[in-house]
Amino acid sequence: MCRHLAYVGEPVRLADLLLTPPHSLLAQSWSPRDMRGGGTVNADGYGIGWYTGEPEPVRVRRPAAMWTDAALPGLAGSVITGGVLAAVRSATIGMPVVETACAPFVGGRWLFSHNGLVRGWPSAVAALASRLPVTDLLLMDAPTDSALLWLLVRARLSAGVAPEKAVASVVTEVAEAAPGSRLNLLLTDGSTVVGTAWTHALWVRSLPGAVVVASEPYDEDPGWHEVPDGHLVTATPSNVDIMRLGDP
Ligand code: GLN
């Protein structure tokens, strides 16, 4: 399963968040500690989205292992930002290895990522998908479960649904339609992070003036707390709220 991380708070250098910690997202791309449901490395691409002071984030994605991108250390060493969502991908069997399948997905001020898989893809969720505008489906980033989950969340956000309710309702409806799915989602607008633990690991750590939510702790600090399975976390630099969604 892929690995992902979201950070909001005091400005940080991308390299200090994603590359240099002892068990950074970069290290998790070739040596993850907690892969579930298949896969050993996260080498099928990566993506980083960050906020620059404008409402809409900047994003880069590449369809190759993070460690192969010679331009990344220079880029990550020169960007300082107060909001990040980054992911490394291990493509689910049968899904394409292309740039457009890599998280984060973007829409307006939002960045989104999915760690996991939808069981019985695509037929199990065809009924849910059929309620989306056909133009959304035609313009979908890639023919993957993660890209569809983003369309489902985005449609609710566009309809004015609060982010935690949009994420919670998509997880519970997809889990009902496709039992056994792994649905660890991350959503941020650069100020708040919403994440779900649904049959996969998720950790949260409060820092001075910041908060980070990640698939795996990036260091050995005792301040990391695991989000219990079947729960949703809403995190800001000043508050972490954990709410039960149901039994996966
Ligand atoms: N199923 C998604 C994909 O193929 C996510 C994969 C993962 O979490 N390993 O992109």
Side-chain angles (χ1 to χ4, degrees), residues 1-2 89-92 95 101 114-117 145-146:
M1 297 294 110
C2 314
R89 180 168 184 243
S90 169
T92 298
M95 298 198 184
H114 165 227
N115 168 202
L117 62 91
D145 51 0
S146 305

Side-chain angles (χ1 to χ4, degrees), residues 1-3 35-36 38 41-42 88-96 101-103 105 114-118 144-147 182 184 200:
M1 297 294 110
C2 314
R3 312 277 75 185
M35 295 288 271
R36 301 180 199 177
V41 292
N42 295 292
V88 291
R89 180 168 184 243
S90 169
T92 298
I93 290 171
M95 298 198 184
C102 295
F105 300 95
H114 165 227
N115 168 202
L117 62 91
V118 171
T144 65
D145 51 0
S146 305
R182 295 185 186 274
N184 280 36
H200 217 318

Side-chain angles (χ1 to χ4, degrees), residues 23 35-37 67 70 78 92 97 105-107 127 134 151 159 195 211:
H23 192 58
M35 295 288 271
R36 301 180 199 177
W67 71 80
S78 61
T92 298
V97 178
F105 300 95
V106 297
V134 73
L151 292 191
V211 67

Side-chain angles (χ1 to χ4, degrees), residues 35-246:
M35 295 288 271
R36 301 180 199 177
T40 51
V41 292
N42 295 292
D44 295 324
Y46 82 91
I48 308 171
W50 68 91
Y51 294 85
T52 62
E54 302 296 322
E56 297 192 1
V58 174
R59 175 190 60 187
V60 295
R61 303 191 278 191
R62 298 281 181 264
M66 196 185 222
W67 71 80
T68 65
D69 189 343
L72 181 59
L75 173 76
S78 61
V79 173
I80 294 176
T81 173
V84 181
L85 200 164
V88 291
R89 180 168 184 243
S90 169
T92 298
I93 290 171
M95 298 198 184
V97 178
V98 290
E99 179 179 316
T100 51
C102 295
F105 300 95
V106 297
R109 64 187 210 271
W110 301 102
L111 291 167
F112 173 84
S113 172
H114 165 227
N115 168 202
L117 62 91
V118 171
R119 290 270 177 230
W121 167 265
S123 49
V125 284
L128 276 174
S130 70
R131 286 186 226 144
L132 289 165
V134 73
T135 45
D136 282 14
L137 294 166
L138 289 171
L139 296 173
M140 191 162 148
D141 268 24
T144 65
D145 51 0
S146 305
L148 180 75
L149 291 169
W150 169 228
L151 292 191
L152 294 169
V153 171
R154 193 183 68 184
R156 287 158 213 231
L157 295 171
S158 305
V161 177
E164 61 278 11
K165 289 203 169 62
V167 168
S169 62
V170 166
V171 168
T172 49
E173 286 173 34
V174 171
E176 195 181 328
S181 294
R182 295 185 186 274
L183 300 169
N184 280 36
L185 311 186
L186 277 183
L187 175 73
T188 187
D189 60 356
S191 306
T192 301
V193 178
V194 176
T196 55
W198 195 269
T199 77
H200 217 318
L202 191 70
W203 295 77
V204 59
R205 180 178 167 196
S206 291
L207 301 158
V211 67
V212 57
V213 182
S215 309
E216 296 187 17
Y218 57 61
D219 61 23
E220 302 300 327
D221 192 281
W224 289 98
H225 297 287
E226 188 159 15
V227 179
D229 203 16
H231 284 68
L232 176 141
V233 58
T234 306
T236 66
S238 57
N239 190 53
V240 174
D241 188 58
I242 294 181
M243 181 189 97
R244 187 170 175 277
L245 289 176

